[in-house]
Amino acid sequence: MKKTALSLVAMLSLIGLTGCQTQQQASLPVVETIEQDKVFTRFSAQFIDELWQTFPTWALYKGFHGYDGRLNIPNAAQRQQTFNFITRQQQALATIDPNVLTPNARIDYRIIDNLLAKMKWEQETFKSWQWDPSQYNVAEGFALLINGDFAPLNDRLLSILSRLAYIPDYYAAARDSIVSPTLEHTQLAILQNEGALSVLSPTLLDTAMASGLTETQKQQFSMRLSQGVEAIKQQISWLKSLEKQLMIDGGRDFRIGEKMYEQKFAFDIKAGMTAKQLYEKALADKARVQAEMATLTTQLWPKYFSSAKPSDDKIAIGQLINKLSINHVKREDFVSDIRQQIPELVQFVNDKNLINLDPNKPLIVRETPKYMRGFAGASVSAPGPYDKSANTYYNVTPLDSMSEASAESYLREYNHWILQILNIHEAIPGHYTQLVYANESPSLVKSLFGNGAMIEGWAVYAERMMLEQGYGDFEPEMWLMYYKWHLRVICNTLLDYSIQVKGMTEDEAIALMTKEAFQQIAEAKGKWRRATLSQVQLTSYYAGYRGIYDLREEIKTIEETLFDLKAFHERFLSFGSAPVSDIRQLMLLEHQNEMN
């Protein structure tokens, strides 16, 4: 699940990063390397500063508050400004030879190079700014200013006052930009913009009126807030009319096709293989995991059933999982039970000495804000490296809006065992832990421009690692449910590729998830929806996990009896959120240097 919570497409899909293959390279003069590193360091600092000036809302998301009062208007002029920025930075970067840089700097170079190429591709080829209305939403920036504690309230209110003035023009430009949208993204835009009204609420006005703003500023605040709310309502009304038209006339297919899928996969995942190759690898792993589940089902069957086990392994596995899934929390306790499990995970990690957890970096479990709902049931919103002391939020969507049947199905999916695995993934030692470490990386580039496959892969790796270290006391029920959960990771890749490239239908997708991956119908329907709203991201879990797990086993083979799991974890995470292939290169190079 996406862990900064905001859709990256909404930020011009700027997060695609690069990887690099391990290469043999001749030794370079030390003086030349040092001088080139200095040149690149100056360039990267200037690049980041100009990036924030060009994209002030992205800067706000990352915790840089120099331009909080600005909100870019998504019109043709802004797109030209983006194009000019990309061209200028690519020309400057081309003057630096990456082969002369030290390995760490060379990876930063490739991250920026890939980032710029991805931005250009997004604007000129992918063009989601035309067909994805959901990327037009002002709520997150305002929410960060309202809820943050990085500056005094009056200062944050002044930034809000400034940003409010842009809202009417922002949505007018959004409507002008949208051409041939998909029905699915239009419906998501309606849902999330309705949630935006909960951010620009009467409570915000009350806060401003009770603040230290001048009377003139308070009058401006009231007027601009009213105009902003009206602009959002107008956008929602326009989107609803658009939705009706699309339901009658049909809209753009949400599927992006093989060519663009492979291009996006190359930018985003950096797996060292094509999307098709990863798909084929996932097919093989699906069969392997199902075989492990069949073995555990044979072991557990007599404990839960007096009847003979069906000869069809998948039927038997499904029946046992259904039996076990009755054990789940109460609907009304879903959020509170998650909150209560976090200290238990912290205690286990500390007792087993698996990785250092900073007690001064708070994790707060909260209900998912309304403007963020409709995409994932759980996510993490983490501060960037500029605002390291800020809270990290574990967003959990309550089940209030679900019918009794849907809620029961959802709770069976997130049963007693899987809810614990979910918390490992999202919180301890998964996303929350990795993102805290990323903020401490000495490389600002690696911390700011996180590779999705590394971030998601670490969370998936953490699940298996915790069970390997004895979490759950090696209970076979826990391992069976873990394999069920892990099968979902594998099937995410199969699902995403099959839907976006091979044209898989909703019925076929539901069958894959329920019959092959043993998911509940509510989870399967939610995943279908997610796969219609995103592309490639669902492959990041499996691709990243496989890379991290394989690297650990490779390091274990090299170090033999000297291998230390905690040292591996902390060294791996010290490289920020760089692509796994890049981290692998650096860690193996360190071993090589130690041997020499």
Side-chain angles (χ1 to χ4, degrees), residues 7 25 84 98 337 437 440 493 551 574 579 586-587:
S7 169
Q25 181 176 319
N84 294 340
D337 269 50
Y437 270 81
E440 300 302 325
T493 292
L551 173 62
S574 72
L586 290 173
M587 292 184 71

Side-chain angles (χ1 to χ4, degrees), residues 32 52 127 295 300 380 407 558 591:
E32 182 181 0
W52 297 156
K127 296 184 179 179
T295 299
L300 288 168
V380 167
I558 294 172
H591 278 287

